[in-house]
Amino acid sequence: VEAGEKSPGGEALKIGYVDMGKVIDMYPKARDVENALQKEQEAKQKEMDEARKKINKLEEELKAQESVLKEEEKKKKSRIIEEKKKKWGQVFREYDLEMRNKVVEKQKEVLDGIRQAVETFGRENGYTFILDARQRSEERRVGKECRSRWSPYH
């Protein structure tokens, strides 16, 4: 659109650009969400690590007692350890899915809040359009960065 171009209704077009990446970086709620998710992830990781340590301890105890245990007792302890490993893996997968869903939900909340603020600003200041200044590839990069930053594995 060239300067001075008119809309179909005859009024002048007023177009604004916003760098959503910068806005996200500067938006306090985005940092708060990131920090909250990181704290939650760290707490859960600590819990998962403790459970895994208990399983490792059981494995070490079995290995140390292997020569004195009867075959039946070895099998029983091995079954118990395998059940605990399986349960640990299941809990880990459930938590992973829960965190991924939570990250997506929180990202949506943050982006919706930013979009709403941009729309309100545009309306109050007479903008016909407000466009994202970034290229499509930049949007993908920021999305990947947010997912990796808020991922339970970073």
Side-chain angles (χ1 to χ4, degrees), residues 49-77:
D49 289 346
E50 288 299 316
R52 186 64 195 164
K53 283 179 188 176
K54 288 178 183 177
I55 293 169
N56 290 344
K57 185 177 178 187
L58 288 174
E59 288 178 316
E60 289 171 12
E61 288 172 359
L62 176 61
K63 192 172 183 177
Q65 297 172 352
E66 212 166 21
S67 61
V68 295
L69 289 177
K70 294 179 183 175
E71 195 61 34
E72 186 73 24
E73 291 172 339
K74 283 187 226 179
K75 286 180 183 178
K76 182 179 177 184
K77 287 189 179 220

Side-chain angles (χ1 to χ4, degrees), residues 88-141:
W88 183 89
Q90 181 182 356
V91 169
F92 181 82
R93 285 185 298 279
E94 289 171 1
Y95 166 71
D96 181 52
L97 180 60
E98 177 186 327
M99 279 305 292
R100 288 177 192 274
N101 290 337
K102 195 174 282 192
V103 165
V104 168
E105 177 187 322
K106 295 299 183 182
Q107 285 174 337
K108 185 180 179 324
E109 286 176 19
V110 167
L111 291 174
D112 287 349
I114 291 171
R115 282 189 189 107
Q116 186 176 29
V118 168
E119 287 173 11
T120 300
F121 175 85
R123 214 175 17 261
E124 289 174 354
N125 291 284
Y127 284 89
T128 310
F129 299 104
I130 296 186
L131 306 173
D132 189 343
R134 300 174 301 164
Q135 298 296 324
R136 184 76 180 140
S137 62
E138 180 66 5
E139 289 175 4
R140 289 186 187 120
R141 184 196 66 76

Side-chain angles (χ1 to χ4, degrees), residues 17-74:
Y17 294 91
V18 63
D19 182 339
M20 290 297 284
K22 250 186 195 175
V23 173
I24 290 169
D25 287 343
M26 295 171 58
Y27 189 46
K29 185 175 180 179
R31 284 188 297 255
D32 294 345
V33 165
E34 180 179 353
N35 291 337
L37 288 171
Q38 186 174 1
K39 283 181 184 176
E40 183 177 342
Q41 187 274 328
E42 287 170 357
K44 188 64 174 184
Q45 186 65 48
K46 185 176 180 182
E47 182 182 320
M48 295 299 294
D49 289 346
E50 288 299 316
R52 186 64 195 164
K53 283 179 188 176
K54 288 178 183 177
I55 293 169
N56 290 344
K57 185 177 178 187
L58 288 174
E59 288 178 316
E60 289 171 12
E61 288 172 359
L62 176 61
K63 192 172 183 177
Q65 297 172 352
E66 212 166 21
S67 61
V68 295
L69 289 177
K70 294 179 183 175
E71 195 61 34
E72 186 73 24
E73 291 172 339
K74 283 187 226 179

